[in-house]
Amino acid sequence: PPRPRLFMPALSSLKRDLTDTLQSLASEIDRSVDVDQFRSVSAGIARHEESIESLCDSLAVFEETCSALTTPLSSVAERIGAKLDERAKLNEQRERLRLLQRLAQTLHHLESLLDRPPAPEGAGAAEALDDLLRAAREMGRLRILRERGAEQKLRAVRPGLERWERVRKTLLRQLTDSLHAALAAGDEARAARVVLGFADADASAEATHWLRSEWVAPRLVPQLKGAVARGTERDALPRICAEVLVFARGGAFRPLRAAALADPQRPLHLLADSVWAEACAFLKGTPHLFGSLAGTPAALHAAHTATVALQAKLEALLQTPAERHYFRCHPAGADLMRRFNLPIYFQLRVQEIAKQLEAALARSDAAADTAEDGDGDGGGRSTRPHLSVLCRTREQVAAAAACAAVDEIVIDFLELDGIREGLAAARPKATVVAAPRIIKPAEEALWRVLLQLDGADAILVRGAGLLSRLAELAEEEGATLPRIHGDFSLNVANAAAAQAYLELGVARLAPTFDLDADQLCALVSALPPSLRSRIEVIIHAHVPIFHTEHCVFARTLSTGNSYKDCGHPCTRHSLHLVDGRQQRHHVLADSGCRNTVFNSQPQSAAPYLAQLREAGVRNMRVELTDQPAEVVGPLLERYAALAKGGGGARGGDTPPGPRG
């Protein structure tokens, strides 16, 4: 039709334009692409494809080869494991055979040593003893081998047991014969060697059994029976204890206390298992001795004291801590002490002890009253204040002794060794020795040390138990009991308790720190007038706020754990604990390594001295902790002036000195 033909020229033109554009684009692409490089990359890809195909073929061959080798290798591994197990069994069997061989050789050697004829006394005796001790060592070695054989369940060891027992009996018989000969001759060196031979043969129990039954009992028991027969049964126990001590110290037992036997690694316990056990068995076999003490507290007390003293003296003969610990825990001793029935005994002794305390202190009452007229303890007859100062260092003692205002110096040193020097430095002032606040059972020797101090006018007692025990010791030993001052740690907080202590003979008493000034005055006012001036008030002190068994000195200033290995830094250093407010609290150690922490701020009664004087208080004490010597004098002079009523303090004023 004519109308479509109108578009043909336009379409032809458009076709030509598209063809030209495509040709131009193809030319541009040819110019921008490197045909050679493209062909090279394609060839490389083709080669890698061939390599990968070759590697896959090799892996397939390797997999087939491994599959073929798995079964033969498993079989080889099983054969190797079987061979190793067989070798281990052979090694175990070889070790067993070696052990059996050593057992047989040791037993044969032991028999050869024991089958030798006994040598006569003289030149051959030493060689015979050496052979015997070698046999003892072989016996110990044989015991170890037997135990190893028993652990491995070796049947071949069982037939040798009877032979071993026979050889052991022969050895023990020869050792006991040799020990008997050495003890009879008093040969300490030979006896010690034979006893150590028992230990080498692992026969310490047999040695102590023989000693007790064949040596100690035949000699000690007749002496004990004689002690019972020499007097009444009521006082027989102290005589028995004396005989036991004489025997333990005597020549019959002296060879068994030789220094060569004190081996800390191998304690033998000869004294505990022979002498002490036999003595306890004798007392247990004579129950009428304890029956005769029933209802007589004095006799029971004497018997108990003698027994405890015997234990302490026997323990002093031992040379190693292990021996002493074993002796203290010996069951024979524990059973013996149970026979005293101590709870009932202590109930019966309460009133009697109080009477003894009054009698022991009555001897010093007249002298105390005379001294009280001059120093302010005189029942209100003297109005002059009496100033006492507690010193904890030698420098403080020297400074206090040079102060004219001080009447009395209380010495409270860490080490007891320096007390005598402190007493000498304090003269001509009156002197008081402060006892430790705590005395445990193992520290009871301190009681006698306090009684035996020369030059002390009084003892500052810090516990009711020490107060009672000092009176008992003075009564038992006939010693003169010094004046007793009671410290604040007796916890006297009311007039009834204060009067009870003062009427028991306490010359001066410090109430507890728990009382304020008004309560102190009320306590003093409630006492009879004759007792008021015997109250002592601590007017300056750093109050102890904490007490512990943990030694801060050993923990922070040494690598040790106790007094045995710490090097005693407490005797050379001063130590303080700093709290969260940066307050420095002083720490002091006592003779038992216990630590006390003192408050950094002193507690002062300076504002209340006039009130205390009006109530009748005449005795005042200043307690020092770590103050240097140069401040001690001014501090004491200021308190002395306040005590006499001069320069009274107002409000919270306190005398000058370190830490207030």
Side-chain angles (χ1 to χ4, degrees):
R3 187 169 298 202
R5 292 179 180 176
L6 293 176
F7 295 99
M8 293 301 292
L11 291 174
S12 298
S13 177
L14 179 61
K15 182 178 179 180
R16 287 192 300 270
D17 292 339
L18 287 174
T19 302
D20 294 338
T21 301
L22 289 175
Q23 290 176 352
S24 175
L25 182 61
S27 300
E28 186 68 26
I29 290 173
D30 290 338
R31 287 195 299 271
S32 61
V33 176
D34 188 351
V35 177
D36 295 335
Q37 184 179 3
F38 179 77
R39 291 174 180 173
S40 175
V41 171
S42 299
I45 292 173
R47 287 196 302 272
H48 283 298
E49 288 179 352
E50 293 175 357
S51 299
I52 292 173
E53 290 178 359
S54 176
L55 181 60
C56 290
D57 294 338
S58 299
L59 289 175
V61 173
F62 179 75
E63 184 177 359
E64 292 176 359
T65 304
C66 290
S67 299
L69 292 176
T70 299
T71 302
L73 287 176
S74 300
S75 176
V76 171
E78 291 178 359
R79 290 198 299 272
I80 291 175
K83 291 293 183 180
L84 290 176
D85 292 340
E86 183 179 356
R87 182 176 180 181
K89 291 180 180 179
L90 290 175
N91 287 335
E92 182 180 357
Q93 187 66 22
R94 183 178 61 181
E95 290 298 325
R96 290 184 177 184
L97 291 176
R98 287 180 178 177
L99 178 59
L100 291 174
Q101 183 180 9
R102 291 176 62 189
L103 279 168
Q105 290 176 350
T106 304
L107 188 57
H108 178 72
H109 186 213
L110 183 59
E111 289 175 335
S112 64
L113 288 173
L114 295 177
D115 289 341
R116 295 178 183 178
E121 292 294 331
E127 290 79 0
L129 180 59
D130 292 339
D131 290 341
L132 184 61
L133 297 181
R134 278 198 297 271
R137 290 190 291 271
E138 290 291 338
M139 177 59 70
R141 181 184 171 207
L142 184 61
R143 178 188 61 81
I144 297 175
L145 294 176
R146 282 184 64 253
E147 292 177 354
R148 289 181 56 189
E151 291 175 358
Q152 297 184 16
K153 300 179 181 179
L154 296 181
R155 295 181 180 179
V157 176
R158 298 176 185 175
L161 291 178
E162 182 178 353
R163 182 181 171 193
W164 180 84
E165 291 291 346
R166 183 176 65 255
V167 171
R168 190 171 189 272
K169 290 179 181 179
T170 303
L171 174 64
L172 295 181
R173 184 178 66 254
Q174 294 188 17
L175 285 173
T176 53
D177 292 343
S178 182
L179 180 58
H180 185 275
L183 293 175
D187 190 342
E188 295 186 11
R190 182 178 178 185
R193 293 186 64 194
V194 176
V195 172
L196 292 177
F198 273 102
D200 290 336
D202 193 35
S204 299
E206 287 81 353
T208 54
H209 176 74
W210 179 88
L211 282 172
R212 177 179 172 182
S213 60
E214 302 297 333
W215 185 258
V216 174
R219 292 161 179 78
L220 178 61
V221 173
Q223 298 180 18
L224 301 183
K225 292 180 179 179
V228 175
R230 282 197 298 270
T232 62
E233 292 183 349
R234 186 167 294 178
D235 59 353
L237 196 55
R239 294 196 304 273
I240 291 174
C241 293
E243 290 292 340
V244 173
L245 185 61
V246 169
F247 180 84
R249 291 175 173 174
F253 202 76
R254 185 180 294 110
L256 299 172
R257 294 189 287 106
L261 297 176
D263 185 357
Q265 304 299 327
R266 190 173 54 179
L268 299 174
H269 310 304
L270 302 179
L271 181 66
D273 288 337
S274 59
V275 177
W276 180 237
E278 186 62 29
C280 293
F282 177 82
L283 293 173
K284 185 178 179 180
T286 53
H288 58 278
L289 294 179
F290 292 92
S292 63
L293 302 176
T296 54
L300 185 59
H301 169 66
H304 180 263
T305 302
T307 305
V308 173
L310 173 63
Q311 284 183 298
K313 292 174 182 178
L314 290 178
E315 185 178 338
L317 298 177
L318 302 175
Q319 304 180 56
T320 64
E323 290 179 317
R324 290 191 286 271
H325 177 75
Y326 181 83
F327 181 84
R328 286 194 295 267
C329 301
H330 200 282
D335 182 65
L336 177 63
M337 298 308 295
R338 282 195 294 269
R339 293 178 175 271
F340 284 101
N341 202 357
L342 292 182
I344 297 177
Y345 157 66
F346 286 130
Q347 294 176 16
L348 295 174
R349 284 282 287 165
V350 169
Q351 295 182 352
E352 190 170 347
I353 289 175
K355 292 178 181 179
Q356 291 179 2
L357 179 62
E358 293 177 0
L361 294 175
R363 294 192 294 269
S364 60
D365 283 348
D369 291 339
T370 302
E372 287 164 0
D373 290 337
D375 66 5
D377 292 346
R381 294 187 293 272
S382 174
T383 59
R384 184 180 69 84
H386 179 269
L387 184 62
S388 175
V389 55
L390 185 143
C391 301
R392 290 187 166 93
T393 66
R394 293 176 176 83
E395 294 76 12
Q396 293 174 352
V397 171
C403 181
V406 173
D407 299 290
E408 182 181 75
I409 297 177
V410 182
I411 297 176
D412 187 10
F413 286 174
L414 166 62
E415 298 291 342
L416 296 178
D417 297 339
I419 289 181
R420 287 185 171 83
E421 291 77 4
L423 291 173
R427 293 302 182 189
K429 307 290 186 183
T431 56
V432 180
V433 174
R437 299 193 187 280
I438 296 175
I439 299 181
K440 292 188 174 182
E443 303 166 354
E444 294 175 353
L446 292 173
W447 296 341
R448 288 183 170 83
V449 173
L450 294 173
L451 277 181
Q452 295 168 0
L453 282 175
D454 297 327
D457 299 312
I459 296 176
L460 183 64
V461 173
R462 290 164 163 169
L466 178 60
L467 181 67
S468 173
R469 185 59 179 148
L470 286 176
E472 290 182 4
L473 288 175
E475 185 72 19
E476 294 168 6
E477 302 181 3
T480 300
L481 189 68
R483 295 178 64 193
I484 299 296
H485 293 181
D487 204 6
F488 69 88
S489 53
L490 292 175
N491 291 325
V492 172
N494 54 70
Q499 184 170 352
Y501 275 109
L502 293 172
E503 290 179 350
L504 279 176
V506 176
R508 197 184 301 165
L509 181 64
T512 178
F513 278 136
D514 297 325
L515 304 180
D516 58 25
D518 294 335
Q519 293 167 339
L520 278 172
C521 293
L523 184 151
V524 175
S525 301
L527 290 172
S530 61
L531 301 179
R532 292 175 185 173
S533 63
R534 292 165 63 182
I535 295 296
E536 181 178 43
V537 175
I538 301 174
I539 59 175
H540 181 95
H542 291 264
V543 178
I545 57 176
F546 189 74
H547 193 74
T548 175
E549 289 278 353
H550 172 69
C551 184
V552 185
F553 290 89
R555 180 65 180 85
T556 59
L557 299 178
S558 78
T559 57
N561 296 316
S562 69
Y563 72 96
K564 299 178 181 179
D565 56 4
C566 71
H568 302 270
C570 55
T571 61
R572 303 184 304 275
H573 299 283
S574 178
L575 191 146
H576 296 77
L577 298 180
V578 181
D579 62 16
R581 297 181 299 172
Q582 300 304 308
Q583 298 292 320
R584 295 168 56 85
H585 305 280
H586 189 49
V587 181
L588 287 177
D590 64 10
S591 57
C593 295
R594 292 171 285 267
N595 287 188
T596 303
V597 182
F598 292 86
N599 198 336
S600 62
Q601 298 299 323
Q603 176 174 290
S604 176
Y608 313 104
L609 293 184
Q611 181 182 355
L612 293 171
R613 285 197 309 271
E614 292 176 0
V617 175
R618 297 293 176 264
N619 301 296
M620 303 176 186
R621 189 201 308 169
V622 173
E623 290 198 351
L624 305 176
T625 51
D626 61 337
Q627 289 88 341
E630 57 267 19
V631 304
V632 172
L635 179 69
L636 297 177
E637 293 287 353
R638 181 61 172 157
Y639 268 114
L642 291 175
K644 294 177 181 177
R650 298 183 307 276
D653 295 343
T654 57
R659 301 174 181 83

